[in-house]
């Protein structure tokens, strides 16, 4: 009888992402503020205004939703990729990059179906801090937000922005997971060891690629989710193109890159360490 092939523990990706988001959440908050602002402000102005109005707590608004999002969304998308890769990969042979892209894209689609509700709450809690007190939704935490949305707007509102979120999630998983896998394989093929320097370089490349792929969809997704009214993807895209031009789709690109690159790097550094601590079974 052939020996059962060992595979990585599928849930470690979600654990590492939850750990990473505790460091990078303020950057995500700044990105959301930049994407949803009506007047043009720089990153220092957004940070200064948030700290002045709400203190340090303002930068961590929505952290509970962000952790739940990573615990559902990233666990599902990383886990899908790990399990599917183990099924199709032949022992000792690397997967073709095209197969990695297909698996990562599918994993991203599966992940966002699980994680979209927490994502809606996360965006609203982050956006709340920049609004006047009379206009705030006032979610105390992620569970309070989920309950309020489901009871006041209906369960379907928890999947607001899903049209934009599915392609975004597919592209971010291609960037973060497939590109990391390929970059790590490439740099190790050039003679680098399987160590922290290799993990850092591969994750830096992956984070940069993921930002370029996802930023336009991320802008549309954020504007779809921030409000309680009914708007379509087409109307949001048309409004951005008409009023802001093509660069409107890359509003907040620098903070998005500054957020996503560290998020990707820290996630993979944690994940590679967890893989050593908890080897394949």
């Amino acid at each position: 009888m052939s020996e059962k092939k060992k595979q990585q523990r599928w849930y470690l990706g979600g654990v590492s992402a939850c750990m990473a988001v505790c460091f990078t959440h303020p950057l995500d908050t700044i990105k959301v503020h930049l994407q949803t602002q009506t007047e043009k402000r720089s990153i220092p102005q957004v940070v200064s205004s948030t700290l002045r109005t709400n203190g340090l707590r303002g930068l961590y608004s929505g952290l509970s939703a962000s952790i739940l999002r990573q615990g559902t969304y990233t666990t599902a998308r990383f886990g899908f990729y790990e399990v599917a890769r183990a099924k199709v990969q032949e022992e000792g042979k690397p997967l073709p990059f095209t197969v990695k892209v297909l698996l990562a894209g599918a994993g991203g689609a599966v992940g966002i179906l699980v994680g979209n509700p927490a994502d809606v709450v996360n965006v609203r809690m982050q956006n709340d801090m920049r609004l006047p007190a009379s206009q705030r939704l006032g979610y105390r935490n992620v569970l309070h937000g989920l309950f309020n949305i489901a009871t006041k707007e209906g369960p379907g509102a928890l999947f607001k922005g899903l049209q934009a979120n599915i392609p975004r999630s597919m592209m971010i998983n291609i960037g973060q997971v497939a590109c990391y896998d390929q970059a790590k394989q490439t740099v190790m093929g050039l003679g680098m060891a399987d160590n922290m320097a290799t993990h850092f370089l591969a994750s830096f490349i992956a984070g940069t690629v993921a930002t370029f792929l996802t930023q336009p969809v991320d802008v549309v997704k954020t504007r779809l989710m921030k409000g309680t009214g009914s708007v379509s993807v087409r109307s949001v895209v048309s409004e951005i193109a008409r009023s802001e031009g093509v660069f409107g789709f890359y509003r907040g690109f620098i903070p998005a890159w500054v957020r996503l690159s560290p998020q990707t790097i820290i996630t993979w550094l944690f994940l590679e360490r967890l893989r050593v601590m908890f080897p394949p079974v």
Side-chain angles (χ1 to χ4, degrees), residues 40-269:
K40 202 165 187 178
R41 294 184 299 169
S42 65
I43 296 174
Q45 288 173 324
V46 169
V47 174
S48 176
S49 174
T50 302
L51 290 174
R52 186 173 61 252
T53 306
N54 301 290
L56 187 62
R57 183 174 65 91
L59 293 175
Y60 277 92
S61 178
L63 179 60
S64 62
S66 195
I67 291 174
L68 178 62
R69 176 179 181 271
Q70 296 299 337
T72 53
Y73 163 62
T74 300
T75 299
R77 65 189 178 95
F78 273 53
F80 181 96
Y81 182 83
E82 290 286 6
V83 173
R85 182 179 63 174
K87 295 289 185 186
V88 301
Q89 187 172 11
E90 295 182 32
E91 193 73 35
K93 293 184 179 179
L95 278 180
F97 181 58
T98 52
V99 176
K100 294 176 183 177
V101 167
L102 290 173
L103 294 181
V110 170
I112 199 56
L113 292 174
V114 178
N116 202 81
D119 201 17
V120 173
V121 179
N122 183 35
V123 169
R124 290 189 181 187
M125 289 181 74
Q126 289 174 326
N127 189 55
D128 234 20
M129 284 298 176
R130 73 177 190 84
L131 298 174
S134 60
Q135 296 178 24
R136 292 181 181 179
L137 297 169
Y139 301 151
R140 293 191 295 272
N141 52 56
V142 61
L143 297 179
H144 183 236
L146 290 170
F147 178 79
N148 266 265
I149 293 171
T151 55
K152 294 180 180 179
E153 302 173 46
L158 292 170
F159 292 91
K160 179 174 283 191
L162 190 62
Q163 285 176 291
N165 238 353
I166 289 176
R168 176 191 181 273
S169 182
M170 293 173 69
M171 287 186 284
I172 201 169
N173 219 38
I174 290 169
Q176 281 191 324
V177 180
C179 287
Y180 175 84
D181 218 353
Q182 190 66 27
K184 180 182 174 183
Q185 177 186 319
T186 301
V187 297
M188 287 181 65
L190 296 174
M192 291 186 69
D194 188 3
N195 55 25
M196 187 175 289
T198 295
H199 304 158
F200 179 89
L201 178 58
S203 57
F204 178 85
I205 294 169
T208 302
V209 172
T211 308
F212 273 108
L213 290 175
T214 60
Q215 185 61 12
V217 185
D218 197 31
V219 171
V220 174
K221 179 215 73 168
T222 299
R223 297 197 188 186
L224 280 168
M225 289 182 172
K226 72 171 183 175
T228 57
S230 178
V231 290
S232 67
V233 173
R234 180 178 294 181
S235 65
V236 171
V237 171
S238 298
E239 175 60 26
I240 295 172
R242 182 186 61 79
S243 60
E244 303 172 53
V246 67
F247 290 109
F249 293 100
Y250 281 90
R251 172 173 283 193
F253 177 82
I254 297 299
W257 180 83
V258 169
R259 181 199 71 86
L260 192 55
S261 283
Q263 170 73 19
T264 305
I265 291 167
I266 296 171
T267 296
W268 278 109
L269 291 179

